[in-house]
């Protein structure tokens, strides 16, 4: 009989394998499944969800955890035991029927959300949202929390993060961003964005975006890129990473930067240790850290002047009608234009976090009972006015724009903004470690940066919680200072600020 730790690893590996099957079925649903396959797929996924929940809460895991307690000694073992305990403790507290109710209500909520968007009628969605919030409050009460219910939900996506700390970080960020947005608005120069809405043939976009993805290190023998309505990265194993993207022939940025973004997620997945496959040491540590990798490649590298010094000739060759007469500096300005806008996923780097702060504040108020569901549209619009100085004309482009709430995912949005902050802090550390990093990017050397990310972040899997990883990698706790100084250094020359 093998020892308790080996049995535990066997157990959690099987859960990991089931999750990877679930991920492939999800990916298939978003990419190739014919429409009539939906009903059967819902049954398959629901069965898998129950199997995964039951295995996570299996009393055998509790027994094994008790036997291996204190028997740790190496970081791999410590990580696997700690994270398995976290998942087990959470799973046993939550009754299966609550998991089932949330899944069922979300399925209906998602279709009500689609209808509400179509008809621009928040009232179609409101009763479903109300029910989901009640279920999530119930869930938080089962899971338990230190200060407020939101902690229990946030912890699912960003383990160890505390709502109050996130709120302080966001408060500071908001106070720094709003005057900067105003400064850019009155800046002496303004890039011409219309360059990006010329005609960019789809077949050329496919070829160009794949070329970029490969150039920065994505391995196509261990991954694929397909098309879906909502782009995502599905990490099944480091040897099988599925990315999706979408194309718009009249908009350069959607596919190109969308693909760079998902490639950043994909590089993290491909960089996780195959020897730890299906165990916590082989998984990404948090969604915030995941997002830091996508944002780093999409924005810090992919929208930099140096990056396009290397690739702009290729882009002009690929899209001669649109770009042959556009100077490099004008192009770099266009892909970095800042403009308060209504839609989060299309927001620029400066205003993006304000969209997240709005959602975080609203979710927190909804969970606390300080905001009534019926008042969501009005609260949304007044917060948009306060944070971005604009108001949506319809709820479809206002409080109904994101899919997350209809899926019952509350506590997820903050990870996007945290990802931006982690990305800048990591990148500043990489620049210190690799003093000629910008020159390397200018010359098309991305392997040095990728190697640095692999050895400092990817290979650790879940060894460190996000907050600890930041300290280990950069020597400092999370701060918005690197992000804010990155923004100023990047946008001042583009906007002609002194
Ligand atoms: Zn992302």
């Amino acid at each position: 009989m093998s020892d308790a730790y080996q049995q535990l690893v066997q157990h959690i590996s099987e859960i990991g394998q089931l999750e990877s099957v679930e991920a492939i079925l999800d990916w298939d649903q978003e990419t190739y499944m014919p429409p009539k396959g939906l009903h059967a797929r819902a049954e398959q996924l629901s069965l898998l969800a129950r199997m995964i929940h039951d295995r996570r809460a299996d009393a055998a895991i509790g027994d094994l955890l008790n036997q291996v307690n204190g028997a740790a000694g190496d970081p791999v073992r410590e990580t696997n035991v700690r994270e398995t305990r976290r998942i087990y403790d959470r799973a046993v507290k939550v009754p299966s029927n609550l998991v089932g109710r949330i899944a069922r209500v979300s399925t209906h909520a998602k279709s009500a959300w689609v209808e509400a968007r179509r008809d621009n009628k928040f009232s179609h969605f409101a009763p479903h949202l109300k029910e989901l919030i009640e279920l999530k409050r119930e869930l938080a009460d089962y899971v338990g929390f230190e200060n407020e219910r939101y902690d229990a939900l946030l912890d699912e996506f960003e383990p160890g993060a505390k709502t109050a700390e996130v709120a302080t970080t966001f408060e500071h960020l908001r106070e720094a961003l709003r005057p900067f947005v105003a400064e850019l608005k009155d800046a002496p120069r303004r890039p011409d964005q219309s360059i990006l809405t010329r005609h960019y043939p789809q077949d050329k976009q496919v070829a160009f975006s794949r070329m970029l993805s490969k150039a920065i290190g994505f391995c196509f023998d261990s991954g694929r890129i397909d098309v879906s309505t909502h782009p995502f990265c599905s990490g099944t194993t480091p040897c099988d990473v599925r990315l999706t993207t979408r194309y718009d022939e009249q908009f350069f940025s959607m596919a190109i930067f969308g693909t760079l973004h998902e490639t950043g997620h994909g590089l993290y997945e491909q960089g996780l240790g195959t020897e730890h496959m299906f165990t916590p040491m082989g998984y990404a540590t948090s969604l915030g850290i995941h997002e830091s990798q996508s944002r780093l490649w999409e924005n810090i590298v992919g929208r930099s002047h140096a990056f396009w010094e290397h690739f702009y000739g290729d882009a002009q060759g690929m899209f001669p009608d649109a770009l042959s007469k556009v100077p490099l500096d004008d192009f770099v300005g266009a892909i970095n234009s800042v403009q308060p806008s209504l839609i989060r996923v299309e927001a620029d780097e400066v205003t993006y976090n304000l969209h997240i702060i709005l959602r975080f504040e609203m979710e927190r108020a909804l969970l606390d009972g300080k905001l009534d569901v019926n008042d969501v549209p009005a609260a949304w619009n007044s917060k948009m006015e306060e944070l971005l100085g604009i108001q949506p004309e319809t709820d479809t482009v206002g409080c109904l724009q994101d899919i997350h709430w209809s899926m019952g995912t509350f506590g997820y949005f903050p990870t996007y903004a945290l990802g931006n902050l982690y990305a800048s802090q990591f990148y500043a550390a990489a620049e210190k470690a690799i003093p000629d990093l910008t020159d390397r990017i200018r010359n098309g050397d991305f392997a040095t940066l990728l190697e640095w990310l692999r050895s400092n972040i990817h290979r650790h899997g879940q060894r460190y919680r996000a907050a600890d990883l930041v300290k280990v990698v950069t020597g400092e706790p999370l701060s918005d200072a690197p992000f804010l100084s990155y923004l100023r250094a990047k946008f001042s020359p583009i906007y002609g600020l002194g």
Side-chain angles (χ1 to χ4, degrees):
M1 194 66 180
S2 54
D3 76 4
Y5 176 69
Q6 281 168 326
Q7 289 179 47
L8 187 69
V9 167
Q10 179 66 26
H11 256 280
I12 56 177
S13 298
E14 285 179 12
I15 298 172
Q17 287 160 26
L18 284 171
E19 286 168 339
S20 72
V21 173
E22 191 181 38
I24 290 286
L25 288 179
D26 270 328
W27 168 86
D28 175 70
Q29 185 183 335
E30 300 295 326
T31 50
Y32 294 106
M33 189 190 78
K36 287 189 174 171
L38 186 63
H39 182 72
R41 184 56 45 88
E43 295 305 310
Q44 292 159 345
L45 284 171
S46 151
L47 172 61
L48 271 170
R50 278 177 279 134
M51 285 169 72
I52 290 168
H53 179 79
D54 291 347
R55 284 191 178 226
R56 282 176 172 174
D58 189 343
I61 291 190
D63 292 342
L64 291 168
L65 280 167
N66 288 334
Q67 290 173 48
V68 297
N69 246 356
D74 69 278
V76 173
R77 192 171 164 137
E78 275 174 4
T79 303
N80 286 338
V81 172
R82 185 195 68 217
E83 289 306 309
T84 304
R85 178 166 287 289
R86 187 178 77 81
I87 289 163
Y88 171 76
D89 283 349
R90 195 178 166 103
V92 291
K93 285 188 218 160
V94 180
S96 298
N97 72 7
L98 180 60
V99 176
R101 267 157 69 212
I102 291 174
R104 198 174 324 114
V105 172
S106 317
T107 310
H108 294 293
K110 222 197 283 184
S111 78
W113 170 74
V114 171
E115 281 167 27
R117 274 172 61 85
R118 187 196 57 208
D119 302 343
N120 186 40
K121 263 206 174 347
F122 179 76
S123 55
H124 288 345
F125 180 52
H128 300 271
L129 181 59
K130 207 174 164 76
E131 197 175 357
L132 275 172
I133 286 166
E134 276 158 18
L135 289 171
K136 286 285 164 165
R137 288 164 66 105
E138 206 179 314
L139 177 76
D141 290 341
Y142 278 116
V143 171
F145 48 87
E146 246 171 73
N147 297 310
E148 53 185 294
R149 287 193 175 95
Y150 200 81
D151 281 332
L153 306 184
L154 178 65
D155 193 69
E156 194 178 336
F157 307 109
E158 202 63 12
K162 291 279 169 275
T163 309
E165 288 167 19
V166 171
T168 308
T169 304
F170 284 2
E171 191 56 40
H172 190 257
L173 191 56
R174 155 214 198 77
E175 290 319 308
L177 285 175
R178 287 175 62 213
F180 190 51
V181 173
E183 209 182 324
L184 291 170
K185 195 171 161 232
D186 299 328
R189 260 209 308 275
R190 172 150 286 280
D192 173 14
Q193 248 187 305
S194 70
I195 298 162
L196 304 176
T197 49
R198 293 174 179 174
H199 185 68
Y200 295 89
Q202 181 164 329
D203 57 333
K204 298 287 174 61
Q205 289 194 41
V206 172
F208 189 66
S209 58
R210 290 176 74 89
M211 184 275 286
L212 292 180
S213 184
K214 192 167 180 217
I216 64 172
F218 189 70
C219 172
F220 281 85
D221 287 335
S222 300
R224 305 177 47 93
I225 302 181
D226 296 272
V227 176
S228 72
T229 319
H230 306 283
F232 62 93
C233 162
S234 172
T236 56
T237 74
C239 306
D240 183 356
V241 178
R242 312 284 173 108
L243 311 182
T244 67
T245 193
R246 55 182 171 176
Y247 299 93
D248 177 348
E249 293 212 317
Q250 304 303 325
F251 189 35
F252 176 84
S253 300
M254 184 182 277
I256 307 303
F257 292 106
T259 305
L260 282 172
H261 180 96
E262 299 308 332
T263 301
H265 284 302
L267 292 174
Y268 187 11
E269 290 291 328
Q270 289 186 342
L272 294 163
T274 47
E275 69 275 31
H276 304 303
M277 210 186 274
F278 301 128
T279 67
M281 263 307 277
Y283 288 117
T285 195
S286 78
L287 286 184
I289 298 297
H290 228 306
E291 192 68 6
S292 78
Q293 301 305 290
S294 58
R295 293 263 155 187
L296 186 148
W297 287 104
E298 176 199 355
N299 291 330
I300 304 181
V301 175
R303 290 181 203 263
S304 71
H305 200 280
F307 185 84
W308 290 102
E309 281 174 62
H310 185 70
F311 285 117
Y312 194 53
D314 295 331
Q316 286 179 309
M318 196 67 103
F319 309 105
D321 295 346
L323 295 176
S324 64
K325 293 194 179 66
V326 178
L328 171 65
D329 285 358
D330 290 5
F331 173 79
V332 173
I335 60 172
N336 285 296
S337 43
V338 177
Q339 178 78 48
S341 60
L342 296 172
I343 308 293
R344 172 186 62 86
V345 295
E346 289 160 16
D348 57 78
E349 282 180 88
V350 180
T351 57
Y352 185 89
N353 288 326
L354 295 170
H355 290 264
I356 298 304
I357 291 169
L358 175 149
R359 287 154 177 77
F360 169 69
E361 289 178 354
M362 288 191 59
E363 286 187 345
R364 209 177 166 197
L366 283 165
L367 259 292
D368 269 357
K370 288 180 186 149
L371 173 63
D372 187 85
V373 167
N374 295 322
D375 299 330
V376 162
W380 181 284
N381 296 352
S382 81
K383 273 192 185 291
M384 277 300 283
E385 184 67 54
E386 180 196 330
L387 286 161
L388 287 147
I390 50 174
Q391 280 207 32
E393 298 213 335
T394 67
D395 290 336
T396 301
V397 293
C399 64
L400 288 171
Q401 66 181 268
D402 297 303
I403 195 169
H404 302 59
W405 290 348
S406 76
M407 295 161 64
T409 34
F410 299 91
Y412 187 115
F413 281 121
T415 69
Y416 291 133
L418 292 172
N420 283 320
L421 304 187
Y422 295 141
S424 298
Q425 198 161 332
F426 287 148
Y427 196 79
E431 279 181 312
K432 251 187 231 163
I434 314 164
D436 59 347
L437 182 55
T438 307
D439 282 334
R440 285 176 184 273
I441 287 172
R442 192 174 283 124
N443 294 322
D445 165 11
F446 304 102
T448 307
L449 175 61
L450 180 57
E451 197 42 54
W452 186 89
L453 294 168
R454 292 249 147 107
S455 64
N456 286 281
I457 297 165
H458 304 177
R459 77 180 168 91
H460 290 310
Q462 297 188 338
R463 179 171 175 186
Y464 303 106
R465 294 269 161 84
D468 297 328
L469 182 67
V470 172
K471 279 189 222 154
V472 169
V473 176
T474 72
E476 304 278 343
L478 177 67
S479 152
D480 61 7
F483 175 68
L484 294 169
S485 58
Y486 155 75
L487 289 184
R488 188 158 284 281
K490 178 176 189 175
F491 290 95
S492 294
I494 294 171
Y495 277 79
L497 302 177

